[in-house]
Amino acid sequence: MPNELKPNQTTPENNGINPIARHNARRYALQAMYQWQIADTAINEIENEFLQYHIDKKLDLAYFKELIHGVPKHQQEIDQEMQPFVGRPLSEIDPIELAVLRLAIYELIKRLDVPYRVIINEALELAKKFGSIEGHKFVNGVLDRIAKKNRVTEIKMGRD
């Protein structure tokens, strides 16, 4: 069955927050979001496909599911948050970088329990690995400004 846990998958209930499993959740969520943006396939279909065929690493399954369902659900809010900082229509942004931005912005505005520096660092790693050569610089600039707008208290307190 597609929704069953594979032996190498974790959930917060059985393993706490594992940075590697969380990183892998973001990585697979990026790939799923890219597919969702390009193919306009229903997110439930993409989720089932990933759970059945693509996921082969330790994974925070609950976080993966939250990201792939949360981004489409809040896409309008995420895109409105992003638009003032990108300097061009969203349709002109590289699809990988757009997916990275949407995932990270979702985390910045909806997951206040996750430190902004962790979110930005993870996004930059994904942008460097999957995006264009200089794309991570663009992603960094956008996310830095969004973090300064939405995480003022956290930034002032120097929380890491």
Side-chain angles (χ1 to χ4, degrees):
M1 290 195 143
N3 289 327
E4 290 181 5
L5 277 177
K6 293 180 181 178
N8 58 353
Q9 294 174 326
T10 65
T11 63
E13 297 79 34
N14 70 13
N15 201 26
I17 295 176
N18 178 318
I20 293 169
R22 185 70 57 98
H23 171 79
N24 289 334
R26 289 181 180 102
R27 178 177 166 244
Y28 286 118
L30 170 65
Q31 294 169 342
M33 289 297 90
Y34 176 79
Q35 184 176 337
W36 173 72
Q37 290 174 166
I38 298 297
D40 197 29
T41 305
I43 202 64
N44 288 333
E45 286 182 44
I46 294 170
E47 176 185 3
N48 288 334
E49 179 184 325
F50 268 76
L51 293 176
Q52 198 166 21
Y53 301 111
H54 299 299
I55 294 175
D56 62 357
K57 295 183 192 271
K58 188 174 190 176
L59 169 77
D60 183 333
L61 183 61
Y63 208 70
F64 168 77
K65 287 183 175 188
E66 177 185 343
L67 291 174
I68 67 166
H69 289 279
V71 171
K73 180 179 179 182
H74 299 283
Q75 180 192 347
Q76 186 174 10
E77 178 184 0
I78 291 166
D79 289 356
Q80 286 174 349
E81 190 70 36
M82 179 185 347
Q83 187 60 64
F85 303 109
V86 296
R88 57 187 145 167
L90 298 184
S91 61
E92 293 179 11
I93 297 173
D94 176 86
I96 288 288
E97 288 150 21
L98 182 60
V100 169
L101 285 167
R102 283 178 170 157
L103 285 167
I105 293 167
Y106 171 84
E107 287 187 277
L108 285 169
I109 63 177
K110 299 295 183 187
R111 290 301 304 252
L112 301 179
D113 60 311
V114 180
Y116 77 95
R117 289 183 184 189
V118 170
I119 296 167
I120 292 174
N121 285 338
E122 287 282 314
L124 293 178
E125 280 189 43
L126 291 170
K128 286 176 185 176
K129 182 170 179 112
F130 297 106
S132 64
I133 293 172
E134 298 291 317
H136 67 281
K137 293 178 183 178
F138 170 71
V139 168
N140 188 47
V142 172
L143 293 179
D144 185 54
R145 289 180 276 173
I146 290 172
K148 285 178 182 170
K149 177 183 173 214
N150 289 282
R151 299 284 189 104
V152 175
T153 304
E154 182 182 351
I155 291 169
K156 285 182 180 177
M157 292 173 49
R159 179 178 164 213
D160 288 326

